[in-house]
Amino acid sequence: MVDAITEFVVGKIGNYLIEEASMFMAVKEDLEELKTELTCIHGYLKDVEAREREDEVSKEWSKLVLDFAYDVEDVLDTYHLKLEERSQRRGLRRLTNKIGRKMDAYSVVDDIKILKRRILDITRKRETYGIGGLKEPQGGGSTLSLRVRQLRRARSVDQEEVVVGLEDDAKILLEKLLDYEEKNRFIISIFGMGGLGKTALARKLYNSGDVKERFEYRAWTYVSQEYKTGDILMRIIRSLGMTSGEELEKIRKFADEELEVYLHGLLEGKKYLVVVDDIWEREAWESLKRALPCNHEGSRVIITTRIKAVAEGVDGRFYAHKLRFLTFEESWELFEQRAFRNIQRKDEDLLKTGKEMVQKCRGLPLCIVVLAGLLSRKTPSEWNDVCNSLWRRLKDDSIHVAPIVFDLSFKELRHESKLCFLYLSIFPEDYEIDLEKLIRLLVAEGFIQGDEEMMMEDVARYYIEELIDRSLLEAVRRERGKVMSCRIHDLLRDVAIKKSKELNFVNVYNDHVSQHSSTTCRRQVVNHQIKRFARNKRMRSFLYFGESDILVDRYFETKLLRVLDLGALSFPFERIWDPYHLRYLGIDGMSLNYIADSISKLRFLQTLDVSRYSIHETIDLRKFTSLRHVIGEFFGELLIGDAANLQTLRSISSASWNKLKPELLINLRDLEIYDMYKSKQGRASVSWASLTKLRNLRVLRLMANHGIYLSLKSEEAVRSMDVISSSLVSVTLDAITFGEDPMPFLQKIPRLEDLIFNNCDYWGGKMSVSEQGFGRLRKLILVMKSLDELQIEEEAMPNLIELGVQNLETKLIIPNRLRALDYGL
């Protein structure tokens, strides 16, 4: 595990030597020597990591290396910070820079001399105790683009969740869910040990077409071992989608009893389905049941739990369903689907080896899919090595194979993927992880490197998809073939937490208690309300996942902070101790007073996420050349300069957009423009032509006030079509009025997959799609007034899988193959 940290630090030294060469000129030779020594030690670490069991001497030596690597990072970051601070000084203070730089240089030289003595001592200890044998780091010499291409070839394409051996269970439970004779609230409990597939089965039922049609109101929540009733109730309320954002902010301050009454009122008289995933205590259900009406509408509740007493301890009408282990035949079927994706020929010896390993998994699906993910990247000759490694670790049948398989799979990862996996320990148990946010966090932490060919975000996505492909991470939601959210299984999360603790990588506070106390851990995470935690001047990251709370003390007294995700934590931003190095700022519930002045200090900021609040102040980001993602409702003026790396911009007012220079936003991929006011001619102030410079734009949302008229037939629009259409995959048009049919214009966008008209108006009466129109479109949603007729030619939209038309009076002249897709909204 330590090898992941050392390789990260070696890469950081290299980046400083290349990107900040002038700053580190005085210590260049010393840094080169440190880098060389640490690279050699990294090779020995690879040998130590490869052993089935580490001896105590190797463990202690590895810890010395880990502490050394962290200290190197501290010295370099602190020196870089001092030099950057001096370069920003103005007036009389600038006159002291020359002397100050010399003092800083002397200081860092002394620090590096100490580090050199330490690394020589570490090397002597390795030689004295005969630790490890030199191994070249995996992947040495290969370019980033080559490594990612290898990942791309290895991983499966758009792999959907496979549920094997649960078909009969799903059939039984679906009948219970759809039983028309059962009018009372009915509870279905699914129980069994961790890794059997309880959540997968519940999600299969939840996403069933019959279930979606039967239950208009559906919600999903998780409980876990450490829970707060208020958090669970809020997740159900949000999942129902019946409450506005403004209302959600109001009820977040409610007490538990008030939330129970509120949720009960939402569901009263309605036919609902609520899934409560991963309950550990009967008390958790007792807290929830009061909020779920016992009406006579045929509502259902699904509970998943590992504990039989919890499954059978619910009151009222219920059915408890125990999940069994897979038979060997089912286990082999599940294994085959994943393990042989890259193997063309399966000989008898390979099948025999595979079956021996599957037999050891004892019918536990999670263990089987992780083993299959590990072997899917191995050549047939390497299967025996994995099998032998398993046998060496399994001294007798009393040892379960799952932890060993999990550990083997982790050790096989590259150091970047290891860091990604370890980072998953920051998220609460059963948490649905927004993949785009995870990617932004990994980039801000400095774990991901890009190059001329690939953006860092693309590289990070491939590393995460490798974890999904290895079944170390589960894809939960996909859009347009891309994973949008994911989840780590409890058992695998336990592995990530254990390894993160050993590496002093993440310190998690749960319900006022730290999982391991540390004042030196780089990453501090709070999963519930907490008033106090240990001050830490080495802290690089702070993340908060609890519900609304207030932190009044000054805890961020570190100049090295890179990631600050405050979530619903209220904290005066001006109290942060000089957040000069900050790369990621996420604000949800904190006071936004003086935010404009505070943000102006963050010249290295990459991500600004204030998505839960409306900003009415002027935000000036013109000096921020490192910006990559700006997310929020910016009702005030938003000023952006030369931000060549900017990829996400939402939501910006049309007034602010028209003042920008789009030609400077060459990498913009996701754009949302709102409040499109009327021009003097009565047309929308944002035209298609203003988007022609955005050659990489993939997702576009135009959100207007009612009555805004957008013409797509103008010469300007037609001229812009060939330019902006090359990359667009999703277009959403909200509250816009069309005087003429927009389809002839939009159907020419060659890569368009999603097209959504939301609360739009149309004066023309009829919309038509020609035979060659929308070749790649998968989703068409029409929430429109006054749409008299929709005509789609027989050969149009060959890939459409989702069609929604709100107006029941709209006459549909569409191919029979599309009629089965149509549903009222």
Side-chain angles (χ1 to χ4, degrees):
M1 292 183 297
V2 178
D3 64 308
I5 304 299
T6 55
E7 191 158 344
F8 167 65
V9 174
V10 166
K12 197 164 188 176
I13 296 174
N15 288 340
Y16 272 136
L17 287 172
I18 296 171
E19 298 171 11
E20 309 290 349
S22 60
M23 287 189 176
F24 287 89
M25 186 62 68
V27 291
K28 180 181 178 183
E29 290 184 6
D30 292 311
L31 283 183
E32 291 281 10
E33 190 175 338
L34 270 184
K35 182 184 174 186
T36 301
E37 287 289 338
L38 198 54
T39 301
C40 290
I41 285 176
H42 176 76
Y44 287 102
L45 279 171
K46 297 295 292 183
D47 181 68
V48 171
E49 296 285 334
R51 298 177 185 176
E52 271 76 31
R53 289 181 176 84
E54 288 186 53
D55 57 77
E56 290 303 315
V57 174
S58 295
K59 284 182 180 179
E60 288 301 315
W61 181 78
S62 296
K63 187 177 183 304
L64 289 175
V65 176
L66 177 68
D67 292 340
F68 172 80
Y70 280 141
D71 288 343
V72 170
E73 184 186 23
D74 283 344
V75 168
L76 295 182
D77 286 353
T78 302
Y79 181 57
H80 178 251
L81 177 65
K82 287 180 179 178
L83 295 180
E84 283 288 353
E85 285 178 332
R86 293 190 185 283
S87 70
Q88 298 302 307
R89 289 181 176 179
R90 296 292 181 265
L92 293 176
R93 295 187 69 203
R94 193 178 182 89
L95 298 176
T96 65
N97 277 357
K98 190 171 184 179
I99 298 174
R101 278 196 295 268
K102 284 187 177 180
M103 293 176 62
D104 293 339
Y106 290 141
S107 176
V108 76
V109 166
D110 289 341
D111 289 338
I112 290 178
K113 283 181 179 178
I114 294 171
L115 290 172
K116 286 172 66 177
R117 286 198 293 270
R118 283 177 60 188
I119 202 168
L120 289 175
D121 185 57
I122 289 170
T123 301
R124 280 196 296 270
K125 282 184 169 62
R126 182 197 59 74
E127 294 169 348
T128 300
Y129 296 109
I131 297 170
L134 183 62
K135 281 192 175 184
E136 289 297 322
Q138 288 184 359
S142 65
T143 66
L144 172 68
S145 298
L146 175 60
R147 295 203 305 269
V148 172
R149 283 198 295 271
Q150 290 169 346
L151 285 177
R152 184 188 289 117
R153 285 197 300 268
R155 69 180 182 85
S156 61
V157 179
D158 198 20
Q159 178 186 328
E160 298 294 340
E161 183 177 45
V162 179
V163 180
V164 173
L166 300 178
E167 294 84 358
D168 292 339
D169 303 83
K171 184 178 179 181
I172 292 169
L173 297 182
L174 190 61
E175 289 178 359
K176 298 286 184 183
L177 281 174
L178 303 178
D179 185 358
Y180 286 91
E181 295 182 3
E182 182 59 72
K183 299 297 183 184
N184 295 313
R185 184 187 71 186
F186 190 77
I187 301 166
I188 296 171
S189 301
I190 306 172
F191 70 98
M193 75 169 286
L196 278 177
K198 299 181 295 295
T199 300
L201 178 56
R203 186 175 293 118
K204 183 179 179 69
L205 295 168
Y206 185 79
N207 291 324
S208 162
D210 292 334
V211 168
K212 289 180 179 179
E213 186 176 339
R214 176 75 181 279
F215 299 97
E216 182 179 357
Y217 302 95
R218 298 181 306 133
W220 184 290
T221 190
Y222 57 87
V223 179
S224 305
Q225 296 185 64
E226 296 180 359
Y227 68 92
K228 289 190 176 293
T229 302
D231 296 0
I232 300 169
L233 294 170
M234 280 299 300
R235 283 194 288 269
I236 294 175
I237 292 169
R238 279 195 293 264
S239 183
L240 286 168
M242 300 166 63
T243 308
S244 67
E246 187 176 339
E247 183 73 7
L248 282 172
E249 292 305 317
K250 178 182 175 183
I251 66 174
R252 280 171 65 172
K253 302 174 183 178
F254 283 7
D256 291 355
E257 295 77 12
E258 294 174 298
L259 286 173
E260 288 177 13
V261 173
Y262 184 89
L263 178 55
H264 193 281
L266 285 181
L267 296 176
E268 185 64 53
K270 297 179 176 64
K271 183 185 297 181
Y272 62 84
L273 168 65
V274 174
V275 177
V276 186
D277 189 27
D278 200 19
I279 289 186
W280 286 75
E281 301 174 358
R282 290 177 60 177
E283 289 77 9
W285 168 246
E286 293 297 321
S287 302
L288 286 176
K289 70 178 184 180
R290 292 187 295 271
L292 303 177
C294 294
N295 55 33
H296 300 286
E297 304 294 332
S299 296
R300 301 287 186 267
V301 179
I302 298 176
I303 289 173
T304 71
T305 180
R306 299 185 190 184
I307 304 164
K308 182 179 180 182
V310 173
E312 298 178 346
V314 296
D315 52 2
R317 294 183 55 75
F318 74 93
Y319 168 73
H321 186 88
K322 181 180 180 180
L323 277 194
R324 59 177 175 81
F325 289 89
L326 300 183
T327 64
F328 176 75
E329 290 73 20
E330 292 167 339
S331 298
W332 182 248
E333 180 187 353
L334 179 59
F335 177 82
E336 269 193 312
Q337 290 177 350
R338 301 182 182 230
F340 295 112
R341 289 195 298 260
N342 301 307
I343 296 177
Q344 302 299 322
R345 181 176 173 272
K346 297 179 282 188
D347 57 39
E348 288 300 318
D349 183 60
L350 189 69
L351 294 174
K352 179 176 178 289
T353 302
K355 289 179 179 180
E356 286 178 357
M357 289 187 282
V358 169
Q359 189 76 49
K360 285 293 182 181
C361 292
R362 301 181 180 179
L364 188 67
L366 181 63
C367 182
I368 295 165
V369 296
V370 173
L371 176 65
L374 168 63
L375 293 170
S376 68
R377 294 168 179 273
K378 298 286 188 183
T379 63
S381 61
E382 291 173 322
W383 279 43
N384 285 323
D385 297 334
V386 175
C387 187
N388 292 335
S389 183
L390 279 176
W391 294 167
R392 284 194 296 270
R393 291 164 182 246
L394 285 170
K395 287 187 174 181
D396 54 66
D397 286 340
S398 64
I399 302 175
H400 201 286
V401 73
I404 297 173
V405 171
F406 299 161
D407 189 59
L408 280 175
S409 188
F410 174 78
K411 285 188 173 183
E412 285 289 321
L413 297 172
R414 292 180 178 274
H415 89 275
E416 300 96 337
S417 297
K418 284 182 179 177
L419 293 175
C420 291
F421 179 77
L422 293 172
Y423 202 72
L424 296 173
S425 62
I426 72 170
F427 296 102
E429 189 176 355
D430 296 317
Y431 189 84
E432 185 172 336
I433 304 166
D434 182 314
L435 197 76
E436 295 299 329
K437 178 174 181 175
L438 173 58
I439 288 171
R440 294 192 290 267
L441 286 168
L442 291 171
V443 170
E445 292 280 5
F447 297 153
I448 308 297
Q449 299 299 318
D451 62 12
E452 297 81 7
E453 296 183 34
M454 296 198 70
M455 300 289 282
M456 288 188 284
E457 286 77 4
D458 295 329
V459 177
R461 176 172 281 276
Y462 278 113
Y463 289 138
I464 295 168
E465 289 182 348
E466 181 192 10
L467 297 180
I468 293 173
D469 204 48
R470 288 177 177 268
S471 295
L472 295 173
L473 191 60
E474 175 192 5
V476 174
R477 182 171 58 88
R478 296 177 187 265
E479 289 183 9
R480 301 184 296 276
K482 290 176 61 176
V483 178
M484 303 305 292
S485 68
C486 54
R487 174 182 172 272
I488 183 169
H489 193 280
D490 298 349
L491 298 179
L492 292 167
R493 178 175 176 270
D494 290 343
V495 173
I497 289 175
K498 179 176 179 292
K499 293 183 181 299
S500 292
K501 178 180 177 180
E502 292 173 7
L503 291 174
N504 204 21
F505 186 74
V506 174
N507 184 34
V508 180
Y509 291 84
N510 277 322
D511 202 15
H512 305 275
V513 179
S514 169
Q515 289 185 356
H516 66 284
S517 179
S518 173
T519 58
T520 60
C521 189
R522 268 63 179 169
R523 291 159 200 91
Q524 307 281 351
V525 179
V526 178
N527 285 338
H528 292 293
Q529 282 86 345
I530 190 167
K531 301 298 181 186
R532 303 192 63 82
F533 57 91
R535 282 182 170 85
N536 180 356
K537 292 193 175 182
R538 296 184 175 187
M539 183 166 61
R540 297 304 200 280
S541 309
F542 176 84
L543 302 99
Y544 181 80
F545 291 96
E547 288 294 333
S548 299
D549 202 355
I550 299 174
L551 189 64
V552 295
D553 269 342
R554 192 169 189 162
Y555 285 98
F556 304 114
E557 296 184 359
T558 170
K559 294 186 176 185
L560 300 177
L561 198 66
R562 293 179 66 100
V563 171
L564 182 60
D565 189 14
L566 290 170
L569 188 65
S570 293
F571 181 81
F573 189 71
E574 63 271 16
R575 290 195 181 186
I576 298 174
W577 186 276
D578 199 359
Y580 189 78
H581 247 4
L582 209 62
R583 263 64 170 177
Y584 183 105
L585 176 60
I587 305 170
D588 184 354
M590 69 172 251
S591 169
L592 296 178
N593 294 333
Y594 316 113
I595 186 173
D597 292 337
S598 300
I599 289 176
S600 64
K601 303 174 185 177
L602 312 178
R603 62 186 294 256
F604 292 109
L605 193 68
Q606 295 175 350
T607 294
L608 174 62
D609 186 348
V610 288
S611 53
R612 294 287 295 275
Y613 272 81
S614 301
I615 310 298
H616 294 272
E617 304 172 68
T618 296
I619 303 296
D620 189 349
L621 304 176
R622 284 175 293 185
K623 294 182 180 179
F624 290 44
T625 57
S626 300
L627 274 178
R628 308 181 78 86
H629 309 279
V630 178
I631 304 165
E633 294 182 357
F634 296 96
F635 287 108
E637 190 170 14
L638 180 61
L639 304 174
I640 296 175
D642 183 2
N645 292 316
L646 188 66
Q647 297 164 56
T648 307
L649 179 56
R650 62 175 189 261
S651 302
I652 182 173
S653 71
S654 53
S656 293
W657 173 255
N658 287 330
K659 294 179 182 179
L660 298 184
K661 296 179 179 179
E663 63 271 16
L664 300 178
L665 308 178
I666 57 175
N667 285 302
L668 192 63
R669 298 178 175 186
D670 188 337
L671 173 63
E672 183 175 294
I673 305 175
Y674 73 95
D675 191 28
M676 299 166 62
Y677 58 83
K678 288 184 180 179
S679 64
K680 292 180 181 179
Q681 291 75 31
R683 298 181 184 275
S685 61
V686 175
S687 64
W688 283 92
S690 71
L691 309 172
T692 57
K693 304 290 185 180
L694 308 176
R695 303 298 179 90
N696 291 299
L697 190 64
R698 299 177 184 178
V699 178
L700 174 65
R701 303 176 194 86
L702 299 180
M703 306 171 67
N705 292 318
H706 285 283
I708 298 301
Y709 178 84
L710 181 64
S711 174
L712 298 178
K713 248 185 175 180
S714 65
E715 291 183 14
E716 179 185 52
V718 172
R719 285 198 305 272
S720 67
M721 168 52 65
D722 292 336
V723 181
I724 68 167
S725 65
S726 60
S727 58
L728 270 175
V729 295
S730 177
V731 173
T732 300
L733 303 167
D734 197 323
I736 294 174
T737 297
F738 298 92
E740 65 273 338
D741 187 357
M743 294 303 189
F745 178 87
L746 297 172
Q747 69 183 1
K748 296 178 183 178
I749 302 178
R751 298 183 182 180
L752 192 64
E753 296 184 21
D754 289 358
L755 177 58
I756 300 171
F757 295 85
N758 188 37
N759 295 321
C760 292
D761 205 351
Y762 177 47
W763 299 341
K766 177 182 177 181
M767 284 187 177
S768 300
V769 180
S770 67
E771 287 195 3
Q772 304 302 318
F774 295 115
R776 292 194 186 181
L777 200 70
R778 295 163 61 90
K779 177 179 181 179
L780 174 62
I781 304 296
L782 290 160
V783 181
M784 302 191 72
K785 303 175 185 176
S786 309
L787 178 58
D788 298 331
E789 183 179 316
L790 174 65
Q791 181 175 351
I792 301 175
E793 296 294 336
E794 187 65 37
E795 301 299 322
M797 302 182 181
N799 292 301
L800 197 70
I801 58 175
E802 183 176 345
L803 172 64
V805 181
Q806 181 195 47
N807 195 337
L808 298 179
E809 297 179 1
T810 300
K811 182 180 180 182
L812 298 179
I813 305 176
I814 62 177
N816 290 332
R817 61 183 170 82
L818 299 183
R819 289 192 177 277
L821 302 177
D822 176 45
Y823 62 92
L825 297 172

